[in-house]
Amino acid sequence: MELLLICLSLWILQCNSAGADSIIHIGAIFEENAGRDDEIFQLAISDLSLNDDILQSEKITHSVKSIEANNPFQAVQEACELMNQGILALVTSTGCASASALQSLTDAMHIPHLFIQRNGQGTPRTACHLNPSPDGESYTLAARPPVRLNDVMLTLVTELRWQKFIIFYDADYDIRGLQTFLDQASRQGLDVSLQRVDRNVSRVFTNLFSTMRTEELNRYRDTLRRAVLLMSPRGAQVFIHQAVETNLASKDSHWVYANEEVSDTEIMELVHSSLGRMTVIRQIFPLWRDTNIRCMRNNHRISSLLCDPQEGYLQSLEVSSLYLYDSVLMLANAFYSKLEDRKWHSMASLNCMRKSTKPWNGGWSMLDTIQKRRITGLTGMMDFRAGGSNSHVQFEILGTSYSETFGKDVKRLATWDSTRGLNGSLKESRIENGMQGVTVKVVTLLEDPFVMVAENILGQPKRYKGFSIDVLDSLAKILGFKYEIYQVADGKYGSPTSNGSWNGMIGDLISKRADLAVSAITVTPERESVVDFSKRYLDYSVGILMRKSEEKINIFSLLAPFDLAVWACIAAAIPVVGVMIFILRRVQSVRSQNPPGGHQATSVSTSLQSAIWIVYGAFVQQGGDSILGSVALRIVMGSWWLFTLIVCSSYTANLAAYLTVSRMDNAVRTFQDLSKQMDLAYGTVRDSAVYEYFRAKGTNALEQDSTFAELWRTINKNNGHEHSVSSPSEGIRKAKRDSFAFLWDMAVVEYAALTDDDCTLTVTGNSMSSKGYGLALQHGSPYRDLFSQKILELQEKGDLDILKQKWWPRKGRCDLDSHSEAQPEGRALRLHSFAGVFCILAAGLLLACLVAALETWWSSNRCRREQPKEVTEKAAPTQGPDPLRPLPRPRPRPRPPGPPVLPRDATATLYFMDPGTDTSPDLVELQYTQL
């Protein structure tokens, strides 16, 4: 790590020497005992130099001066030298004495001065009383917020209802910083004692035993039961150890340790050294859980050493070092604003020793720009709009909890900030025998099937039912408490508003209007920072609710594998090839009349109908009349057979694929499927936990998959008003009514699909995260551990699984699993898939019957029309024979002569008359050769 910082410093020096002509020059003054401040300042400059989004092509040059601690004269000398070099702003991290001297100088020279107050040897700091500017224009801005420990301690002792306590403070602590606290405590009637603790702590307790009698020591021991320690972490640890060793600390004592800068390790050492209850007050900064947001602030990428808590470097820094980094970031943003507005004032060299030196004419404009800026850095929000100082500060109150089940532990009891004050409960309460006789006020929100209104008798109080209510009833039965339940006024679960407050059920818990929140409320990091949660009693995942796809029936689906143009070309190819075969066979029949070599070819049919029939039979792979002909006919038929083979094979493959795809009931099964399709709209509830989840995933630049980015673009279209809905019930109705996919809690949408009247809804889901549903309580609630323990017992005994089956039955009127189980049987083709084939067959049969009827009718009409008249007359004689006269004996007919004997090689032409007619005979000419 040290090698890395050395290399980084050398690189920065090279950049500074290379960019000596830069128009941006910052001066810095640090005390010699603040080595980390110099490192962080160099790291901030290097981070900004690597980023072109803020200062574009401009680079920051800097000059750093080191001074002795509490040496105002040296501080002024070094500042004058920096002004002579030409600086735009001055950043200092010193004590109050040096800061007061530098304030006078910067006010006179109109140089913006960002001041970070340092602690002395780990002792809690007190406010620096700077001199007011003579003309009212103070150029010193306090980057580190004013000391607010007095306000936090007063709120704490009031919440704990202390009436008498003692304050121990270090010898290095400025007792004047307690003046405001003592005045306010006196007005409230509190009995406060003060005692200074020397560096030799053991001598303090030795003097107590040597100067006090036994009765006085007992009274003093009773006073020590309630104490506040304003000491360094090391001094407080030694003090507590000595108090335990001398038997002055008892098991029922409660000590409060107040210091802005104390690490987790030091807190654990203090807790384990004490006998009784220990409460710790320290300053905290917002923890960004998203890596991308944590490392990217104000278009500026922060070094991974500072943005990644796992590096360990961030925990080793002092609070002043963090404010120093943010001060440089604030100046960089102010310089960017000046460059963007083209209102840059170049810095001229100032000589502090000359009486005729005029202040910098651009100082007020630069100061005004800095005061109007607001950034979010390592310490959270930073601005100087509240009287020239950064007022954004937040404290956490940690305490030891006692429980026979969980033992001694340190947990966050409450938080305190300058805007909302205390958030949490600090009252001492031990729960040993359950919650017998306790009445808990419960806030809820209707959400099927977690909380629903039960049918009740007219005039009776409103009753509730649901899965969460069953869990609450089970806990009430085990622990013995009663509850009063009411619905939240605004109908929201709880989310932070623009002014920093919370709405919904979370807001009711923070404002202490309710002790417990019960509904489909998920455990999120943001909510857990302001309230407490029990162990989760149901796992959480996000589901996709949509209407079941209706199976489209197309009786001519077997024609779908080919486009209409393909079918038209195939239909046109059949007669074309048939005509070609007809022509070639006609040519062959003409050639066969005079065959070479005197051999007659076998006769074949040469009609057009037979040719087309042969082509059609080959196309449907049913053969046809045999063709014994020329090579040209064979080439044509070979090409046609190859064509039909390819067409039929392609049709078979495409038909199988088409029928397989058409049997898929839902194309959307995952988030990836949802993001890739364009036909189905989707959304969620605006300003909900699911909405914020998709926002975080969709705007995360480090997310490799573009699925969530595409989902967020659709969900957030028109700020969520186009596709997203205002409530879960609206989303369920929209999914049932329209072509819409509703993204919401899996448990809620599953219940909606199971209880749908028409069973038209289906649910698919993706695991969103390892979250769950829990009971929300006030911050620091004494009931959290009991609820968590009993929920674990319900899970172990299987009672929660029984309740799940009650509200989410897998088998019922709307069976969500039936569709997936029916897949093997559903692979068989149904009748409507072949309806087109049966229609074609029926049409062919009807056409054949119609043609047969027409042929019969045509033949009968033709026979009657062409029958000769003389045949009719002969068939009707004018006079019959005499019945009395015998008939003459018939004369034998002569025997017809035999066939004529033709000479050898003679050719005869024979004419045959159609037997059906006796007029206009159709003659067929045949040639006969006498061999």
Side-chain angles (χ1 to χ4, degrees):
M1 183 62 67
E2 298 296 335
L3 181 60
L4 175 62
L5 292 175
I6 293 173
C7 296
L8 184 61
S9 301
L10 293 176
W11 179 82
I12 293 173
L13 292 176
Q14 292 177 359
C15 292
N16 290 338
S17 61
D21 56 345
S22 175
I23 62 175
I24 302 177
H25 190 193
I26 301 177
I29 297 177
F30 307 126
E31 294 181 351
E32 292 176 351
N33 58 355
R36 285 298 177 89
D37 287 352
D38 189 11
E39 292 177 4
I40 296 301
F41 181 80
Q42 302 275 5
L43 187 59
I45 295 294
S46 65
D47 286 347
L48 290 169
S49 299
L50 294 173
N51 187 7
D52 295 333
D53 294 334
I54 296 182
L55 298 178
Q56 300 175 357
S57 60
E58 294 295 333
K59 301 299 180 183
I60 298 178
T61 58
H62 62 279
S63 300
V64 180
K65 301 292 184 180
S66 298
I67 62 172
E68 297 176 355
N70 298 322
N71 193 337
F73 180 76
Q74 186 182 7
V76 171
Q77 281 185 323
E78 298 294 348
C80 287
E81 184 177 350
L82 292 174
M83 294 179 187
N84 191 26
Q85 297 176 7
I87 59 175
L88 298 175
L90 179 64
V91 180
T92 63
S93 175
T94 62
C96 293
S98 300
S100 181
L102 290 174
Q103 181 203 13
S104 301
L105 177 62
T106 54
D107 289 347
M109 295 299 173
H110 292 188
I111 301 296
H113 172 209
L114 270 65
F115 164 60
I116 298 99
Q117 181 184 357
R118 283 187 50 78
N119 292 25
Q121 303 297 327
T123 303
R125 67 186 181 110
T126 56
C128 290
H129 300 282
L130 302 180
N131 300 322
S133 179
D135 55 357
E137 297 179 356
S138 177
Y139 285 81
T140 297
L141 304 175
R144 189 171 184 178
V147 180
R148 303 300 298 270
L149 277 179
N150 291 340
D151 300 331
V152 183
M153 288 191 302
L154 186 63
T155 303
L156 188 143
V157 296
T158 303
E159 185 75 8
L160 295 176
R161 298 179 182 178
W162 285 4
Q163 295 297 323
K164 183 178 180 181
F165 56 93
I166 186 172
I167 298 178
F168 295 96
Y169 61 94
D170 265 342
D172 297 331
Y173 182 79
D174 189 355
I175 193 61
R176 294 175 296 177
L178 285 175
Q179 188 62 46
T180 304
F181 174 80
L182 295 176
D183 293 341
Q184 294 177 349
S186 178
R187 285 194 291 269
Q188 295 184 12
L190 304 181
D191 185 0
V192 184
S193 303
L194 298 176
Q195 183 169 344
R196 183 173 178 267
V197 179
D198 295 331
R199 291 183 175 88
N200 191 349
V201 179
S202 60
R203 188 174 61 182
V204 175
F205 289 95
T206 303
N207 293 336
L208 289 177
F209 283 95
S210 61
T211 57
M212 289 185 179
R213 293 177 298 182
T214 306
E215 296 80 10
E216 294 176 343
L217 280 174
N218 291 334
R219 289 195 297 268
Y220 188 79
R221 185 180 289 107
D222 184 70
T223 305
L224 286 178
R225 292 179 61 251
R226 302 289 182 265
V228 177
L229 306 181
L230 295 175
M231 308 169 68
S232 64
R234 178 59 183 169
Q237 183 180 356
V238 176
F239 180 84
I240 294 174
H241 179 72
Q242 289 293 329
V244 173
E245 288 291 326
T246 56
N247 200 24
L248 289 178
S250 58
K251 291 184 178 181
D252 62 341
S253 62
H254 185 184
W255 288 5
V256 175
Y257 178 73
N259 197 333
E260 291 173 310
E261 300 186 52
V262 55
S263 64
D264 294 339
T265 304
E266 293 169 340
I267 291 176
M268 296 306 300
E269 291 175 353
L270 292 174
V271 168
H272 290 298
S273 299
S274 63
L275 284 180
R277 183 181 179 186
M278 173 68 69
T279 300
V280 180
I281 303 173
R282 69 172 177 179
Q283 185 178 356
I284 58 172
F285 303 106
L287 178 60
W288 300 90
R289 291 172 174 81
D290 191 340
T291 306
N292 184 50
I293 301 176
R294 184 170 62 236
C295 295
M296 183 64 68
R297 310 285 180 85
N298 306 99
N299 297 327
H300 164 62
R301 177 163 291 278
I302 297 177
S303 173
S304 60
L305 287 173
L306 300 177
C307 72
D308 191 358
Q310 297 181 355
E311 289 287 341
Y313 186 75
L314 192 63
Q315 285 75 11
S316 64
L317 297 178
E318 297 178 352
V319 174
S320 58
S321 301
L322 302 180
Y323 281 107
L324 179 61
Y325 188 99
D326 290 350
S327 299
V328 178
L329 183 58
M330 170 66 80
L331 290 177
N333 278 268
F335 296 154
Y336 170 78
S337 178
K338 298 290 289 184
L339 291 171
E340 192 178 38
D341 296 339
R342 301 182 181 276
K343 297 180 180 179
W344 188 261
H345 296 278
S346 59
M347 179 62 194
S349 176
L350 300 177
N351 193 335
C352 303
M353 302 305 173
R354 293 181 182 178
K355 295 182 179 180
S356 59
T357 301
K358 296 181 179 181
W360 181 33
N361 57 359
W364 177 251
S365 176
M366 184 66 71
L367 179 67
D368 183 68
T369 303
I370 296 174
Q371 288 179 323
K372 291 181 179 179
R373 302 296 294 178
R374 173 181 290 183
I375 67 164
T376 302
L378 298 176
T379 59
M381 185 72 68
M382 174 181 283
D383 63 55
F384 301 101
R385 303 180 185 183
S389 62
N390 179 23
S391 60
H392 300 281
V393 62
Q394 185 178 11
F395 293 87
E396 73 173 351
I397 301 175
L398 305 173
T400 54
S401 61
Y402 291 90
S403 173
E404 295 179 357
T405 304
F406 295 92
K408 189 176 182 180
D409 190 18
V410 179
K411 65 178 182 180
R412 178 187 288 182
L413 302 178
T415 58
W416 188 97
D417 57 55
S418 55
T419 304
R420 296 173 295 180
L422 185 68
N423 177 23
S425 177
L426 303 174
K427 296 179 181 179
E428 296 184 59
S429 59
R430 296 187 181 183
I431 302 176
E432 298 176 355
N433 299 321
M435 298 171 60
Q436 296 291 337
V438 177
T439 301
V440 180
K441 199 164 187 179
V442 180
V443 60
T444 189
L445 175 65
L446 297 182
E447 184 74 84
D448 298 348
F450 290 88
V451 179
M452 299 179 290
V453 177
E455 297 180 0
N456 55 337
I457 304 174
L458 185 63
Q460 296 295 326
K462 184 181 292 186
R463 296 177 59 252
Y464 297 90
K465 65 179 182 179
F467 177 71
S468 297
I469 299 298
D470 289 348
V471 174
L472 181 63
D473 290 338
S474 301
L475 294 175
K477 183 179 180 180
I478 296 173
L479 297 174
F481 67 89
K482 299 179 180 180
Y483 63 87
E484 298 176 357
I485 190 169
Y486 72 97
Q487 291 181 227
V488 64
D490 57 3
K492 297 181 180 296
Y493 286 97
S495 58
T497 59
S498 57
N499 59 2
S501 62
W502 284 73
N503 57 18
M505 293 189 293
I506 302 297
D508 283 11
L509 291 176
I510 294 175
S511 60
K512 297 180 174 59
R513 289 192 292 268
D515 301 314
L516 184 67
V518 174
S519 187
I521 182 169
T522 55
V523 183
T524 62
E526 293 77 14
R527 292 171 180 170
E528 204 166 14
S529 64
V530 293
V531 297
D532 285 344
F533 279 94
S534 67
K535 296 291 184 182
R536 60 186 183 186
Y537 57 86
L538 183 66
D539 292 333
Y540 173 83
S541 62
V542 67
I544 306 174
L545 179 70
M546 54 190 171
R547 192 169 55 187
K548 291 180 180 178
S549 60
E550 298 178 358
E551 191 173 7
K552 298 179 181 180
I553 298 177
N554 182 12
I555 62 174
F556 294 103
S557 60
L558 295 179
L559 302 178
F562 287 164
D563 188 57
L564 181 61
V566 177
W567 285 117
C569 292
I570 293 174
I574 292 176
V576 169
V577 177
V579 170
M580 185 69 181
I581 293 176
F582 168 73
I583 295 173
L584 293 177
R585 295 182 71 178
R586 173 65 71 175
V587 172
Q588 179 183 356
S589 64
V590 172
R591 290 177 54 195
S592 64
Q593 296 179 3
N594 298 306
H599 296 283
Q600 182 71 24
T602 305
S603 64
V604 293
S605 177
T606 58
S607 65
L608 179 61
Q609 295 179 358
S610 62
I612 294 178
W613 180 253
I614 291 172
V615 173
Y616 177 75
F619 179 75
V620 296
Q621 298 181 354
Q622 296 300 318
D625 296 342
S626 61
I627 301 176
L628 298 175
S630 63
V631 177
L633 276 173
R634 294 176 181 176
I635 293 175
V636 170
M637 291 308 299
S639 302
W640 177 250
W641 288 337
L642 180 61
F643 170 79
T644 57
L645 175 64
I646 296 174
V647 170
C648 292
S649 300
S650 302
Y651 176 81
T652 304
N654 279 7
L655 180 63
Y658 172 79
L659 294 177
T660 302
V661 173
S662 63
R663 288 195 304 269
M664 296 176 63
D665 53 349
N666 281 312
V668 176
R669 297 184 182 275
T670 62
F671 285 156
Q672 288 77 9
D673 299 336
L674 196 63
S675 63
K676 293 177 182 178
Q677 57 84 36
M678 301 296 293
D679 299 330
L680 187 65
Y682 51 89
T684 184
V685 178
R686 291 186 293 272
D687 300 328
S688 62
V690 179
Y691 189 84
E692 295 300 326
Y693 169 77
F694 283 110
R695 181 206 301 274
K697 296 285 286 185
T699 57
N700 188 0
L702 301 179
E703 190 74 28
Q704 298 294 329
D705 192 0
S706 61
T707 298
F708 287 97
E710 183 62 33
L711 290 174
W712 173 243
R713 277 194 293 268
T714 303
I715 292 173
N716 193 43
K717 198 170 184 180
N718 195 15
N719 292 327
H721 292 281
E722 183 167 342
H723 294 300
S724 295
V725 295
S726 59
S727 64
S729 58
E730 181 185 352
I732 294 172
R733 288 194 301 268
K734 189 174 181 180
K736 185 176 180 180
R737 183 180 63 250
D738 306 329
S739 179
F740 178 76
F742 180 49
L743 307 177
W744 195 239
D745 298 358
M746 174 64 79
V748 177
V749 296
E750 259 192 9
Y751 181 80
L754 287 169
T755 57
D756 182 35
D757 295 334
D758 304 324
C759 294
T760 58
L761 296 175
T762 184
V763 177
T764 61
N766 290 45
S767 178
M768 186 169 118
S769 62
S770 57
K771 294 182 180 179
Y773 301 94
L775 304 178
L777 304 95
Q778 291 182 10
H779 215 331
S781 174
Y783 309 131
R784 184 188 66 171
D785 294 340
L786 271 178
F787 283 148
S788 299
Q789 179 187 2
K790 299 307 177 184
I791 288 174
L792 292 176
E793 292 180 2
L794 291 176
Q795 289 178 347
E796 288 292 332
K797 293 187 296 184
D799 293 343
L800 288 181
D801 293 332
I802 297 175
L803 294 178
K804 292 176 189 177
Q805 291 296 324
K806 173 184 176 182
W807 295 102
W808 290 279
R810 301 311 305 175
K811 301 292 184 181
R813 181 169 55 86
C814 296
D815 193 354
L816 299 183
D817 295 334
S818 61
H819 201 72
S820 60
E821 293 175 357
Q823 284 296 324
E825 298 179 0
R827 292 180 181 178
L829 296 178
R830 299 182 181 179
L831 178 61
H832 65 78
S833 299
F834 288 93
V837 178
F838 287 102
C839 290
I840 294 174
L841 177 60
L845 296 178
L846 291 176
L847 181 61
C849 293
L850 180 61
V851 171
L854 290 176
E855 286 180 348
T856 305
W857 174 79
W858 176 261
S859 299
S860 62
N861 286 347
R862 183 179 179 185
C863 290
R864 286 195 299 268
R865 189 171 55 252
E866 295 180 355
Q867 189 173 8
K869 295 181 179 181
E870 53 271 16
V871 174
T872 304
E873 293 176 353
K874 291 180 179 180
T878 56
Q879 184 178 0
D882 187 359
L884 299 179
R885 185 178 181 180
L887 294 174
R889 187 174 182 179
R891 184 179 297 176
R893 293 183 179 182
R895 186 175 182 181
V901 179
L902 300 177
R904 189 175 183 84
D905 296 335
T907 301
T909 302
L910 305 180
Y911 296 89
F912 293 88
M913 185 176 64
D914 189 354
T917 60
D918 56 355
T919 59
S920 303
D922 295 331
L923 300 180
V924 179
E925 179 179 356
L926 296 179
Q927 290 183 351
Y928 174 79
T929 302
Q930 178 69 36
L931 299 179

